[in-house]
Amino acid sequence: MDRIWSYSRVSKFEACKWDYVATYLWHMDLAKGNIYSFMGSQFHQEMEDFYNHEIGYDDLYKQWSKFVAKWESDPARYMFDTVKIKNGYIKNLNHYFQHTKVMTDKAVNEKPVRAIVESDKGNKYVFVGYVDTEYTDEDGNLVLIDYKTSSKSSFSKAKLPEKSMQLRLYAMAEHQVHGTPYDKIKARFDMAKYCTVHFKQENGKWKTSVQERYQWVEKMRKKLETKLKKTDLDPITIEEMIDTACTNNDMDNLPEDIREQFYIENHFIEIDINEEDMKELAKYIGNKCDEIVALEGIEDLEGYLSYTYPYDPDNYYDKKLCAYHTSDYFKKRENLVDDLPPEENLDEDTAWLFGGEMDKQQDDETDEIMNMLFG
């Protein structure tokens, strides 16, 4: 236990061995960043300011709007791949900062935690991290919140065990240090781009649907049509009312009895926390640390990496997100040039060339990797 570890260090090792070595062993200045880490950092900063009582609820959206305006006016700004991705991302977070549910005024933000894991070889490693938001709910459960600004497709049931490692490690830390029973720890992702829509069915029962925030009313159009057709309103008025509601992305213009049948909340993804899973996680991370130490002991690291992990220009992470492979150093060495036009030059007539299913595929892949690295 001769060093303090962070989960981001293990994540970087998993994502790209080159990036890990360049950052932690060669100490290269690769802090180039990208649009997702840039936006994500601002998002987390605002939530920290709010829960530290440095800004009020109404200031969340105001501060975010000023940040976006400043970013858009900067000619050297980080770019999204396409206008479509940019618009959806910004609109969703606009809505989040205007409508997010406040946890509790007693919530603690950036709570430092410490965990110790042990590998199969008996090597112990100390991890230190920071919980985005932590509080105790009305049932006495310790609730750990991790904010995510990425797509929910990256958090499918199959991917969740991998995606939740950091958050589960923090739950392990609270259990080790404070003795909090695992069944009294609730860990969840706050998926900022989405909201859970609650709507009343015709049989009187409530149901939920998860939607992107900026278009949640549009996604309820057919349900609104069904409900409004049962009123005395004429078809033209109904259509106009629904169009207005969808345009405004709220139901303020609809009859009260219709509005009362819909409401939205933050969309949370719950993480199962149990003792058996924690033991497996501790062993997995401990063994991964053993791998990292072994890699660090290789004498000719550059030769080893070149042979074992060659650059893949068709890999979206290597080409777009890896700090090492997108660095000026690497591009100059390999004589590489960017081949996508700047986002600001993509108008409505040309954006389609970079849209459609490829947008979805790249957005989801980007989100998955960015969450792993920048959590």
Side-chain angles (χ1 to χ4, degrees):
M1 294 195 294
D2 60 343
R3 74 170 71 152
I4 299 298
W5 293 72
S6 67
Y7 183 77
S8 61
R9 185 167 187 147
V10 176
S11 296
K12 190 176 286 289
F13 173 82
E14 282 287 82
C16 180
K17 306 300 186 289
W18 279 101
D19 197 9
Y20 178 87
V21 170
T23 301
Y24 292 104
L25 302 185
W26 297 342
H27 304 291
M28 295 178 65
D29 183 11
L30 300 177
K32 181 179 179 180
N34 56 61
I35 188 61
Y36 298 100
S37 58
F38 180 70
M39 291 288 178
S41 294
Q42 176 65 20
F43 180 93
H44 281 80
Q45 184 61 57
E46 290 208 25
M47 299 312 298
E48 180 177 357
D49 290 345
F50 174 72
Y51 282 111
N52 286 341
H53 306 290
E54 295 176 10
I55 62 174
Y57 186 87
D58 293 338
D59 297 319
L60 283 172
Y61 178 63
K62 293 178 182 177
Q63 189 164 294
W64 171 253
S65 297
K66 291 179 180 178
F67 167 79
V68 172
K70 183 178 180 180
W71 163 71
E72 290 187 319
S73 66
D74 183 0
R77 66 186 181 275
Y78 294 116
M79 295 289 194
F80 287 93
D81 280 350
T82 68
V83 173
K84 175 184 174 183
I85 294 176
K86 180 189 79 169
N87 289 342
Y89 188 99
I90 298 299
K91 289 178 181 178
N92 281 323
L93 294 193
N94 284 348
H95 190 276
Y96 181 92
F97 284 123
Q98 291 173 302
H99 300 279
T100 183
K101 176 185 176 182
V102 175
M103 309 302 174
T104 169
D105 58 1
K106 295 182 180 180
V108 178
N109 216 70
E110 291 297 305
K111 166 75 179 300
V113 293
R114 185 204 70 214
I116 299 176
V117 301
E118 184 175 349
S119 70
D120 287 327
K121 296 179 179 179
N123 297 318
K124 293 183 178 181
Y125 301 94
V126 177
F127 277 79
V128 171
Y130 299 85
V131 183
D132 285 351
T133 297
E134 178 181 297
Y135 66 94
T136 301
D137 66 16
E138 61 275 9
D139 297 320
N141 297 307
L142 183 65
V143 183
L144 312 181
I145 301 291
D146 192 353
Y147 299 107
K148 297 297 180 184
T149 59
S150 53
S151 295
K152 60 184 177 65
S153 60
S154 301
F155 292 78
S156 64
K157 186 176 181 179
K159 298 175 182 178
L160 201 54
E162 177 185 351
K163 303 292 291 187
S164 63
M165 282 187 186
Q166 183 178 31
L167 189 53
R168 288 185 288 140
L169 181 63
Y170 293 167
M172 183 193 306
E174 293 294 49
H175 172 76
Q176 289 180 354
V177 175
H178 301 292
T180 307
Y182 282 127
D183 61 3
K184 295 298 291 183
I185 299 177
K186 305 296 180 184
R188 56 184 60 134
F189 292 120
D190 185 348
M191 305 299 291
K193 286 169 54 178
Y194 303 88
C195 61
T196 297
V197 183
H198 299 259
F199 59 93
K200 201 170 188 178
Q201 301 180 96
E202 299 311 300
N203 61 10
K205 296 182 179 180
W206 286 87
K207 193 174 181 181
T208 61
S209 175
V210 179
Q211 302 295 340
E212 285 194 73
R213 285 179 170 272
Y214 83 95
Q215 56 181 355
W216 79 268
V217 176
E218 178 64 44
K219 295 299 183 179
M220 296 294 112
R221 175 181 282 273
K222 291 190 178 299
K223 294 178 176 57
L224 288 173
E225 289 176 349
T226 299
K227 294 179 183 297
L228 286 169
K229 284 178 179 178
K230 294 182 178 181
T231 67
D232 295 331
L233 297 170
D234 63 88
I236 294 179
T237 300
I238 289 176
E239 191 68 21
E240 290 176 346
M241 292 178 72
I242 293 177
D243 285 343
T244 298
C246 291
T247 299
N248 296 335
N249 198 37
D250 63 45
M251 298 185 180
D252 293 348
N253 67 306
L254 301 181
E256 183 177 358
D257 61 326
I258 300 296
R259 297 200 307 269
E260 290 176 346
Q261 298 182 59
F262 297 85
Y263 70 94
I264 63 173
E265 291 184 314
N266 288 23
H267 176 52
F268 295 107
I269 295 179
E270 302 289 340
I271 310 302
D272 182 38
I273 302 296
N274 60 78
E275 188 167 359
E276 181 179 356
D277 179 63
M278 292 297 104
K279 289 180 180 178
E280 293 181 0
L281 177 65
K283 197 70 67 177
Y284 175 86
I285 294 179
N287 291 339
K288 195 59 61 176
C289 292
D290 280 353
E291 290 181 30
I292 293 175
V293 172
L295 176 74
E296 293 175 349
I298 295 175
E299 185 172 347
D300 182 15
L301 261 179
E302 187 164 8
Y304 170 78
L305 293 174
S306 297
Y307 179 78
T308 312
Y309 303 102
Y311 172 67
D312 181 3
D314 296 323
N315 181 282
Y316 188 73
Y317 174 78
D318 277 2
K319 190 171 183 177
K320 289 289 181 180
L321 302 175
C322 176
Y324 175 75
H325 288 119
T326 59
S327 67
D328 292 337
Y329 167 81
F330 178 76
K331 288 181 178 180
K332 289 178 180 178
R333 196 186 79 174
E334 300 295 321
N335 195 28
L336 298 176
V337 294
D338 294 327
D339 58 359
L340 279 179
E343 162 203 298
E344 61 185 357
N345 292 334
L346 295 179
D347 57 25
E348 291 297 323
D349 293 328
T350 58
W352 71 271
L353 291 169
F354 304 92
E357 290 304 312
M358 184 57 69
D359 258 1
K360 180 76 163 60
Q361 176 184 344
Q362 291 187 343
D363 193 21
D364 289 348
E365 186 176 353
T366 296
D367 287 330
E368 181 175 354
I369 296 168
M370 290 311 302
N371 267 286
M372 181 173 64
L373 295 179
F374 300 102

